[in-house]
């Protein structure tokens, strides 16, 4: 017998209803689940978890070496302290030629340069030599008409019959090492006068350094006079100055100090000296020549130079202004310190108005040198305390990594 089966029709469940059912099931609270679902995880699963570390009851004490003080910040503090403690108008700056770090006290104020400005006459002369515009070996003559005033050792030679036959090279040495005013003024005439020096400063982007009208006119103005050519080689300047009323001299003296026509900032000074040391201002031959001459400077033996330690060298230039009623208008020494290992530092100590004894001024300058030398030693210690590094050899330009 044949059994006939009827077809079963399954009506599809709407998707919306199915989704609602699934959501309802997934949101059931755990209490509604059976006891098996609420049972703790099997012990074998707990065994896979990392054990909780057991901390000791006593704290672990780790002793760290004290950090090495920053050499640069120590130098900052030393220079600031020296500047504030000196009872006078002073600006100080020290520039690390290698790193560019500069510590200063009133580094952006203008102070009289006086004979420090002889540097810029020699710089101009050597720049003209480098460009082929000047021959310092050419013979020239210095006569009584070329004499100026104050310190001029060349005077006795110029007053001889026929004058003194020399060269620009000789004048430069006398101007820098002896601070000879007449030698410098004759060299200034040879390079083209004050305007030529100012053009050189502008051309080399040397800011913060002014160049005055030349030694005779500058010193006459400070005294309250106008320079007269017939005073050259004689005593006319001193006679005219002594005849001036005290109020005239005081007004001229104060006006110069308030806004020195030959002024410079200590920061500009060390920046320029650092550029000279790096060879950024002159050719290698002219750079070596100028710094070698500056190392033979005879003036200011008890200023910066007296603070040197064995093996250290100083290429420098001094500047000393007029004294009126116990006050001096400018007492300076600037230069390049070089360590026995060859590291260099540009230093400038510029005292504007002061009536302090010379011994105090010189002590300040020696103290600045001592602080700079101490900075050099501290910097070496700081480098020695730093972790060693090695260069990653994986490719050019790869960053160094710490040695472990």
């Amino acid at each position: 017998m044949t059994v006939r089966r009827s077809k079963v029709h399954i009506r599809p469940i709407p998707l919306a209803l199915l989704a609602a059912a699934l959501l309802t099931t997934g949101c059931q609270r755990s209490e509604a689940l059976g006891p098996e679902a609420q049972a703790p995880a099997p012990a074998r699963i707990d065994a896979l978890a990392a054990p909780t570390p057991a901390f000791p009851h006593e704290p672990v004490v780790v002793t760290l070496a004290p950090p090495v003080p920053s050499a640069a910040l120590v130098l900052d503090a030393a220079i600031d302290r020296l500047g504030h403690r000196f009872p006078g108008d002073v600006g100080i700056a020290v520039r690390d030629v290698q790193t560019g770090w500069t510590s200063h006290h009133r580094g952006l104020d203008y102070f009289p340069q006086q004979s420090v400005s002889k540097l810029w006459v020699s710089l101009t002369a050597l720049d003209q030599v480098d460009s082929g515009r000047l021959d310092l070996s050419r013979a020239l003559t210095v006569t009584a008409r070329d004499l100026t005033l104050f310190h001029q050792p060349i005077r006795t030679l110029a007053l001889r019959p026929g004058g003194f036959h020399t060269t620009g090279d000789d004048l430069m040495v006398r101007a820098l090492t002896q601070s000879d005013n007449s030698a410098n003024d004759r060299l200034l005439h040879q390079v083209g006068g004050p305007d030529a020096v100012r053009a050189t400063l502008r051309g080399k982007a040397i800011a913060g350094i002014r160049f005055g009208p030349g030694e005779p006119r500058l010193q006459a103005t400070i005294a309250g006079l106008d320079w007269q050519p017939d005073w050259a080689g004689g005593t006319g300047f001193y006679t005219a100055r002594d005849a001036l009323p005290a109020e005239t001299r005081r007004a001229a003296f104060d006006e110069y100090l308030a806004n020195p026509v030959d002024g410079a900032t200590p920061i500009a000074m060390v920046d320029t000296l650092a550029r000279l040391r790096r060879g950024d201002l002159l050719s290698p031959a002219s750079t070596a020549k100028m710094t070698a001459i500056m190392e033979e400077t005879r003036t200011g033996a008890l200023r910066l130079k007296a603070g040197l330690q064995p093996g250290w060298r100083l290429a420098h230039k001094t500047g000393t202004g007029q004294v009126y009623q116990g006050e001096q208008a400018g007492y300076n020494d600037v230069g390049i310190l070089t360590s026995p290992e060859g590291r260099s530092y540009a230093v400038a100590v510029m005292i504007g108005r002061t009536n302090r004894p010379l011994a105090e001024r010189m002590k300040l300058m020696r103290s600045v040198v001592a602080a700079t030398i101490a900075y050099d030693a501290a910097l070496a210690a700081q480098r020695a305390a730093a972790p060693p590094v090695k260069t990653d050899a994986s490719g050019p330009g790869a960053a160094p990594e710490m040695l472990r």
Side-chain angles (χ1 to χ4, degrees):
M1 181 174 65
T2 301
V3 178
R4 185 178 180 181
R5 298 183 181 183
S6 59
K7 293 181 180 180
V8 178
H9 297 279
I10 301 176
R11 186 166 51 185
I13 302 174
L15 289 177
L17 181 61
L18 178 60
L22 291 175
L23 285 174
T24 302
T25 304
C27 294
Q28 293 183 64
R29 296 177 59 187
S30 59
E31 299 89 78
L33 301 176
E36 295 83 1
Q38 299 184 50
R44 66 176 182 275
I45 296 179
D46 289 340
L48 296 177
T52 302
F55 291 99
H57 296 290
E58 295 296 327
V60 177
V61 178
V62 179
T63 303
L64 299 176
V68 178
S70 167
L73 296 182
V74 172
L75 179 63
D76 266 356
I79 297 303
D80 191 59
R81 181 171 60 253
L82 289 171
H84 276 106
R85 289 182 178 177
F86 180 76
D89 187 30
V90 63
I92 307 170
V94 177
R95 167 73 59 87
D96 184 330
V97 177
Q98 292 69 224
T99 67
W101 180 269
T102 303
S103 296
H104 71 96
H105 170 78
R106 293 183 59 191
L108 295 175
D109 292 347
Y110 279 87
F111 294 87
Q113 291 185 77
Q114 291 294 320
S115 287
V116 168
S117 63
K118 290 179 171 67
L119 289 172
W120 319 130
V121 178
S122 292
L123 180 74
T124 301
L126 290 172
D127 183 58
Q128 292 182 5
V129 169
D130 289 342
S131 62
R133 292 174 289 160
L134 181 65
D135 181 5
L136 287 175
S137 65
R138 183 171 62 85
L140 51 83
T141 303
V142 179
T143 68
R145 294 190 303 272
D146 299 311
L147 295 177
T148 58
L149 69 174
F150 298 143
H151 188 64
Q152 42 183 342
I154 204 173
R155 183 176 188 274
T156 56
L157 300 173
L159 291 176
R160 295 186 307 189
F164 175 53
H165 303 290
T166 184
T167 64
D169 278 322
D170 177 64
L171 293 176
M172 180 183 299
V173 172
R174 291 173 181 273
L176 293 179
T177 65
Q178 300 179 34
S179 204
D180 191 309
N181 290 336
S182 292
N184 187 72
D185 215 58
R186 184 65 178 84
L187 182 62
L188 174 62
H189 176 75
Q190 191 178 14
V191 302
D195 285 341
V197 176
R198 295 178 192 126
T200 298
L201 295 175
R202 287 194 304 270
K204 296 186 178 297
I206 297 175
I209 292 178
R210 303 168 180 167
F211 189 79
E215 202 68 38
R217 290 181 57 194
L218 173 67
Q219 299 303 337
T221 300
I222 295 172
L225 295 167
D226 292 323
W227 175 257
Q228 303 300 318
D230 59 1
W231 290 346
T235 60
F237 167 80
Y238 304 98
T239 301
R241 186 180 67 172
D242 292 344
L244 286 174
E247 57 270 20
T248 300
R249 287 203 62 188
R250 171 53 64 184
F253 191 83
D254 290 345
E255 183 179 356
Y256 167 70
L257 284 171
N259 188 23
V261 67
D262 67 333
T265 71
I267 285 182
M269 189 64 64
V270 296
D271 178 69
T272 305
L273 290 172
R275 292 175 63 192
L276 175 65
R277 177 66 180 85
R278 292 196 305 266
D280 296 342
L281 299 178
L282 298 169
S283 69
S286 291
T287 298
K289 182 175 183 175
M290 185 165 178
T291 53
I293 294 173
M294 291 169 63
E295 286 188 1
E296 299 300 320
T297 294
R298 303 176 194 176
T299 58
L302 297 179
R303 300 186 195 187
L304 291 177
K305 184 174 287 186
L308 295 179
Q309 291 186 6
W312 283 77
R313 308 192 314 275
L314 175 67
H316 70 126
K317 184 70 195 77
T318 58
T320 307
Q322 294 185 49
V323 176
Y324 183 63
Q325 295 180 342
E327 292 183 324
Q328 190 153 31
Y331 189 85
N332 311 317
D333 202 358
V334 308
I336 304 168
L337 285 169
T338 302
S339 74
E341 297 78 20
R343 294 182 294 274
S344 295
Y345 305 94
V347 178
V349 181
M350 307 183 73
I351 303 175
R353 182 197 300 267
T354 184
N355 59 6
R356 304 308 302 168
L358 290 177
E360 289 188 24
R361 308 178 207 177
M362 295 173 180
K363 181 180 179 181
L364 169 66
M365 294 179 175
R366 294 195 298 270
S367 297
V368 172
V369 172
T372 305
I373 293 176
Y375 163 79
D376 180 78
L379 200 61
Q382 191 170 299
R383 292 191 182 112
V389 297
K390 70 174 183 178
T391 302
D392 186 359
S394 61
E401 61 181 32
M402 294 290 183
L403 289 175
R404 294 178 176 85

